[in-house]
C-alpha cells in the first residue's frame, strides 16, 4: 500500500512538471492579437494564462473556473484589482473539460463521473476532496468529455457523445443529452440523436435549450454541416446516426429512419468547423443587437484539406428562428497556419465576453467601447 501511494504521488508530481513549464512558455511569448478581426468598437486582450483551458463557469464571488481536456486540470482564476491569479484546484482527472457552479459548489465533469467541490470559493487554496455525485456515465473516451451546465429547472445537464465517428450505439447510453438532480439522482435522457455537443445554453426569455452539435467525419470536405439545435422539450431526436443536418441520409444507417420525423437543426454551419461553446449574450456592454442572441466558438477543423473555423460566430434569432449568421471574431487561422482555437465563451457581470483557447493556453477578454 505504501509503495502504491508513493507511485501515485510520483505521477502527480510528474503531471505538475509537465504542465507548468508549458504555462511558462505561454507567458514568455506574445500572441498576435492584432491579427484578430472584430466589429468596430470591440477589442480583445489576454485575460489569463490557463493551459489547455476548456469549459468556463462563474462563481458567486466572481471566481472564473475553467476545465481542461488533455491537461486533466481544473483551474480557478481570481481577479485582484486587474491582476489575475490562476490556481489549480485538481489535477490528474479524466478529461475534466466541463465545469458548472450552483449554491456555492463547483461541479466538474470527468468522462465517467461528475464531482462536486462544496463551498469552493471559501477554500480555493485547499479545496479538499470532492464528492462524487455520480459515476454512472460510460467510460469510453471517444466523445466522452462533457460540457455541463445547470438549466432553469435546477437540473444539471450533461451530454454523452457517440463512442465513435459513426455507429449505432445504445440510444439510452450514448449520443444524447442527459439531466440529473444536483445530488446525482433521477438521471434521465433529455435529448436523443446528438452526436457530440460540447456547448449549450438556455434562451433568457423562453428558457428553451439550444445546443451545438459536431457532424460526422469522412463524408468529404463539405459534408455534413455542423449544427445549432433547439430542444424546447424532452424526448426529441436530432438525427444521429441516421440523418445529418436534418436531411442528409447517412450512407450506412440512413435507410433505417425517416428524416422528416426527426428534429432538424435551426442553423447549419460549414462542415468540420467544430462549433463548441455557445452562450446567449445577456450583458449590457455590447450593442443592443447582441442582446439575447448567440455567440459560438468554432474550434476548427482537423480532417479537411483546407482548414475552416477557428473563429467566433454571431447568430441572431427572432421567434426561435435564425435570421442572421456572421463572423464575430477571426484571425486565429492564417493561410492554413493556426495559432489559437476558441473553445468556450462566458458572459461576465460587466458585459465583457471571456473566450477560452486550449491551443494558445489562454483566456481572452473581448470588450466593447463606443467610439
Amino acid at each position: 500500500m505504501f509503495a502504491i501511494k508513493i507511485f501515485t504521488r510520483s505521477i502527480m508530481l510528474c503531471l505538475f512538471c509537465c504542465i507548468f513549464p508549458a504555462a511558462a512558455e505561454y507567458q514568455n511569448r506574445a500572441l498576435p492579437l492584432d491579427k484578430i478581426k472584430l466589429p468596430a468598437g470591440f477589442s480583445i486582450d489576454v485575460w489569463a494564462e490557463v493551459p489547455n483551458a476548456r469549459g468556463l463557469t462563474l462563481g458567486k464571488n466572481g471566481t472564473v473556473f475553467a476545465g481542461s481536456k488533455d491537461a486533466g486540470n481544473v483551474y480557478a482564476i481570481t481577479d485582484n484589482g486587474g491582476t489575475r491569479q490562476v490556481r489549480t484546484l485538481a489535477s490528474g482527472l479524466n478529461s475534466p473539460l466541463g465545469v458548472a457552479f450552483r449554491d456555492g459548489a463547483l461541479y466538474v465533469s470527468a468522462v465517467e463521473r461528475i464531482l462536486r467541490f462544496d463551498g469552493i470559493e471559501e477554500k480555493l487554496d485547499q479545496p479538499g476532496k470532492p464528492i462524487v455525485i455520480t459515476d454512472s456515465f460510460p467510460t469510453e473516451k471517444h466523445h466522452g468529455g462533457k460540457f455541463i451546465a445547470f438549466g432553469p429547472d435546477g437540473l444539471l445537464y450533461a451530454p454523452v457523445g457517440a463512442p465513435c465517428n459513426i455507429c449505432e450505439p445504445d440510444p439510452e447510453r450514448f449520443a444524447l443529452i442527459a439531466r440529473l438532480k444536483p445530488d446525482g439522482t433521477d438521471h434521465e435522457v433529455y435529448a436523443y440523436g446528438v452526436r457530440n455537443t460540447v456547448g449549450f445554453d438556455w434562451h433568457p426569455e423562453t428558457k428553451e435549450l439550444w445546443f451545438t452539435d459536431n457532424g460526422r467525419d469522412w463524408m468529404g470536405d463539405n459534408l455534413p454541416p455542423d449544427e445549432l439545435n433547439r430542444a424546447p422539450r424532452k424526448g426529441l431526436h436530432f438525427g444521429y446516426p441516421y440523418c445529418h443536418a436534418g436531411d442528409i441520409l447517412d450512407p450506412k444507417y440512413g435507410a433505417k429512419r425517416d428524416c422528416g420525423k426527426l428534429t432538424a437543426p435551426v442553423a447549419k454551419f460549414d462542415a468540420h468547423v467544430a462549433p463548441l461553446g455557445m452562450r446567449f449574450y445577456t450583458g449590457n456592454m455590447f450593442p443592443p443587437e447582441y442582446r439575447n442572441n448567440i455567440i459560438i466558438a468554432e474550434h476548427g477543423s482537423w480532417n479537411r484539406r483546407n482548414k475552416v473555423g477557428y473563429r467566433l460566430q454571431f447568430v441572431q434569432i427572432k421567434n426561435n428562428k435564425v435570421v442572421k449568421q456572421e463572423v464575430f471574431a477571426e484571425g486565429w487561422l492564417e493561410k492554413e497556419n493556426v495559432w489559437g482555437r476558441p473553445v468556450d465563451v462566458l458572459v461576465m457581470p460587466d458585459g465583457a465576453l471571456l473566450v477560452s483557447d486550449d491551443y494558445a493556453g489562454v483566456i481572452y477578454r473581448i470588450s466593447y467601447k463606443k467610439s
Side-chain angles (χ1 to χ4, degrees):
M1 180 64 70
F2 181 70
I4 292 174
K5 287 183 178 179
I6 292 177
F7 179 71
T8 302
R9 186 170 180 267
S10 297
I11 291 175
M12 297 304 296
L13 288 173
C14 181
L15 274 172
F16 281 101
C17 290
C18 292
I19 290 168
F20 284 93
E25 289 175 10
Y26 293 126
Q27 292 170 355
N28 291 331
R29 67 178 176 85
L31 296 175
L33 296 183
D34 58 312
K35 296 181 178 180
I36 300 298
K37 298 177 183 177
L38 287 157
F42 287 90
S43 60
I44 184 169
D45 298 287
V46 171
W47 186 76
E49 314 262 350
V50 183
N52 196 231
R54 296 281 297 199
L56 301 173
T57 195
L58 183 67
K60 182 180 179 181
N61 298 335
T63 307
V64 172
F65 297 97
S68 68
K69 184 180 180 182
D70 301 326
N73 292 355
V74 180
Y75 304 98
I77 306 100
T78 52
D79 192 327
N80 305 310
T83 301
R84 261 70 65 185
Q85 180 178 359
V86 181
R87 296 177 175 88
T88 301
L89 300 180
S91 60
L93 299 179
N94 190 6
S95 294
L97 62 86
V99 286
F101 188 88
R102 182 178 177 84
D103 295 334
L106 176 68
Y107 293 74
V108 176
S109 70
V111 168
E112 75 285 0
R113 58 184 181 157
I114 295 179
L115 313 174
R116 190 183 75 222
F117 292 84
D118 290 334
I120 187 64
E121 288 187 290
E122 283 72 48
K123 48 184 180 180
L124 294 176
D125 291 317
Q126 293 182 321
K129 186 177 180 180
I131 297 168
V132 179
I133 69 164
T134 181
D135 58 3
S136 62
F137 287 103
T139 58
E140 283 80 355
K141 290 187 177 181
H142 195 111
H143 298 150
K146 296 169 174 55
F147 173 88
I148 57 174
F150 280 95
D153 53 13
L155 300 179
L156 181 63
Y157 286 66
V160 181
C164 54
N165 171 40
I166 188 71
C167 57
E168 195 175 22
D170 180 351
E172 298 296 328
R173 294 277 287 165
F174 298 98
L176 56 81
I177 299 175
R179 64 181 179 181
L180 57 158
K181 288 183 177 179
D183 63 1
T185 61
D186 292 350
H187 184 133
E188 65 176 358
V189 177
Y190 182 81
Y192 296 89
V194 181
R195 181 178 178 272
N196 183 35
T197 179
V198 195
F200 44 82
D201 198 9
W202 288 263
H203 191 287
E205 295 174 346
T206 68
K207 310 304 180 185
E208 294 175 348
L209 176 67
W210 293 60
F211 64 92
T212 59
D213 196 13
N214 287 249
R216 65 156 292 177
D217 300 315
W218 312 123
M219 281 185 69
D221 279 358
N222 301 310
L223 288 175
D226 287 336
E227 304 174 7
L228 176 65
N229 292 279
R230 170 176 162 260
R233 61 184 182 277
K234 174 186 170 183
L236 297 177
H237 194 294
F238 291 87
Y240 180 87
Y242 313 104
C243 304
H244 308 292
D247 54 5
I248 299 173
L249 294 176
D250 185 79
K252 185 174 182 179
Y253 300 105
K256 293 188 175 185
R257 297 290 291 269
D258 180 354
C259 292
K261 294 181 179 179
L262 304 177
T263 305
V266 292
K268 300 177 184 180
F269 306 117
D270 292 339
H272 312 301
V273 297
L276 300 187
M278 61 150 284
R279 292 291 199 287
F280 284 92
Y281 182 76
T282 53
N284 294 315
M285 178 187 287
F286 290 8
E289 59 264 31
Y290 289 90
R291 181 81 178 181
N292 293 343
N293 288 304
I294 304 170
I295 297 177
I296 296 173
E298 291 184 353
H299 198 226
S301 60
W302 62 270
N303 61 337
R304 197 176 185 277
R305 279 172 287 188
N306 298 112
K307 294 182 176 69
V308 291
Y310 307 94
R311 60 192 179 187
L312 301 181
Q313 286 275 14
F314 172 61
V315 177
Q316 191 172 26
I317 61 176
K318 184 177 181 180
N319 298 324
N320 291 323
K321 295 185 182 298
V322 172
V323 296
K324 183 170 71 172
Q325 295 182 50
E326 63 184 18
V327 175
F328 176 66
E330 63 180 347
W332 289 280
L333 170 66
E334 283 191 305
K335 298 179 180 180
E336 299 300 302
N337 296 313
V338 173
W339 61 269
R341 304 187 73 181
V343 178
D344 198 14
V345 295
L346 178 68
V347 182
M348 294 294 281
D350 66 353
L353 186 75
L354 296 187
V355 182
S356 59
D357 182 336
D358 64 344
Y359 189 83
V362 299
I363 297 175
Y364 308 102
R365 180 180 184 267
I366 296 179
S367 58
Y368 176 81
K369 185 176 182 180
K370 189 175 181 179
S371 57

